[in-house]
């Protein structure tokens, strides 16, 4: 129905995650209506990311310099290592501004149904770091989803025998939440994680 | 927080309609994970659309040849002219397969709040076509939204005096709908548009 080049763009846009036929059509019309300059900028940004970005050889965060800015930062506590699933989790923790240690990015969570086995993640590399670096505390910061919990459990069994102090970030009521509206699983985590008032 | 080229891509993606910070981040990670070939194809498709696509000089549909495939189709009824707001409406009607006339694409609907006045649309061009071509019936096929209704009303006042037979597509219950769940405005249109059973 559409001209060939327009239909081709809709097809390409539909390959993106979360973009269905209607969104793809809307995006295509938007792109048609924007300036050639904006299009070139977007196209260039996509190509540049593919050319420049790689994984940090130390922590496996995405970066355009190796080692990444976090690993190269000498003001950070080398003894504190935080394990996250994805680069975006690292960014979320950095945004909170309270963590001053280093990171290790697994590259996902164990999910056999999606074909992600422990061997597909940077777990071997994590164990190597634990053996080579002097880590005083390893903080597991993996989402409390089914796959995330399974991954945390797998890592706990693997790391505990190495004698490293192992902690997990707290799960419970989010700030500003109403207990009455919290799901039972969150409330149960919140009770489990209760602390003595001092 | 992210490396410069990655942050730049997120910024560019956020300029797209319906793409917020989270979606932009997800798309950026997706693009990082796809092959260079896929990225190049998407980038090329965007640039090609901008280079090739233009408005048909007869009906103002988007096209890569001028006049467009619909206008150039001699098997179509030249006397029947359907007025739509956007190229995607033309495509929707073509998909139904029951219309065999020509089209005129306004390029939007009258919406003073968004700065779209009648002069911004291809209304002058429509009037010129009505004067120059031999049109036996003009079908208004504009969405029954507030702005769409206002546009249809505006066109009706303008075209009626020219003595052309003017019709509007029917509005009412969609096929497969349940009357009990239909909104009052739709049901009211549906009753207004009732026809004698023959």
């Amino acid at each position: 129905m559409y001209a060939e080049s327009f239909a081709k763009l809709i097809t390409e846009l539909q390959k993106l995650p979360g973009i269905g036929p209607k969104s793809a059509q809307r995006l295509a019309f938007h792109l048609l209506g924007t300036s050639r300059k904006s299009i070139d900028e977007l196209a260039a940004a996509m190509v540049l990311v593919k050319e420049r970005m790689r994984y940090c050889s130390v922590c496996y965060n995405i970066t355009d310099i190796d080692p990444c800015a976090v690993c190269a930062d000498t003001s950070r506590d080398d003894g504190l290592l935080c394990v996250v699933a994805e680069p975006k989790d690292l960014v979320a923790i950095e945004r909170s501004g309270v963590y001053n240690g280093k990171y290790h990015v697994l590259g996902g969570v164990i999910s056999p149904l999606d074909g992600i086995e422990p061997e597909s993640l940077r777990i071997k590399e994590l164990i190597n770091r634990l053996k080579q670096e002097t880590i005083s505390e390893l903080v597991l910061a993996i989402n409390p989803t089914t796959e995330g919990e399974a991954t945390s459990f797998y890592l706990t069994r693997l790391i505990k025998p190495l004698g490293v102090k192992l902690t997990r970030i707290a799960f419970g009521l989010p700030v500003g939440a109403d207990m009455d509206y919290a799901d039972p699983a969150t409330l149960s985590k919140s009770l489990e994680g209760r602390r003595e008032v001092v």
Side-chain angles (χ1 to χ4, degrees), chain A residues 21-140:
Chain A
K22 285 285 171 198
S23 302
Q25 183 183 274
R26 192 159 50 107
L27 286 175
F29 274 112
H30 171 85
L31 291 170
L32 185 61
T34 53
S35 67
R36 173 66 197 256
K37 189 167 157 287
S38 305
I39 299 258
D40 286 345
E41 275 174 8
L42 176 55
M46 294 194 311
V47 170
L48 198 68
V49 153
K50 201 64 202 172
E51 268 174 8
R52 288 256 183 93
M53 300 301 286
R54 70 205 74 179
Y55 291 109
C56 170
S57 60
V58 180
C59 75
Y60 299 95
N61 183 20
I62 53 159
T63 177
D64 52 1
I65 45 165
D66 192 20
C68 74
V70 176
C71 287
D73 184 350
T74 51
S75 74
R76 281 171 175 267
D77 184 351
D78 279 333
L80 200 56
L81 190 64
C82 179
V83 177
V84 294
E86 306 275 3
K88 65 176 189 289
D89 302 327
L90 183 157
V91 171
I93 292 175
E94 282 297 289
R95 226 182 271 132
S96 79
V98 298
Y99 182 74
N100 195 35
K102 301 285 174 99
Y103 291 93
H104 188 85
V105 183
L106 294 175
V109 285
I110 301 171
S111 177
L113 285 177
D114 302 317
I116 309 178
E117 306 285 345
E119 297 74 41
S120 336
L121 304 176
R122 268 71 187 242
I123 293 176
K124 200 172 72 245
E125 290 82 351
L126 172 64
I127 302 299
N128 282 342
R129 286 184 74 178
L130 289 176
K131 285 174 180 161
Q132 283 160 16
E133 301 174 25
T134 319
I135 306 293
S136 58
E137 181 181 346
L138 191 139
V139 186
L140 291 180

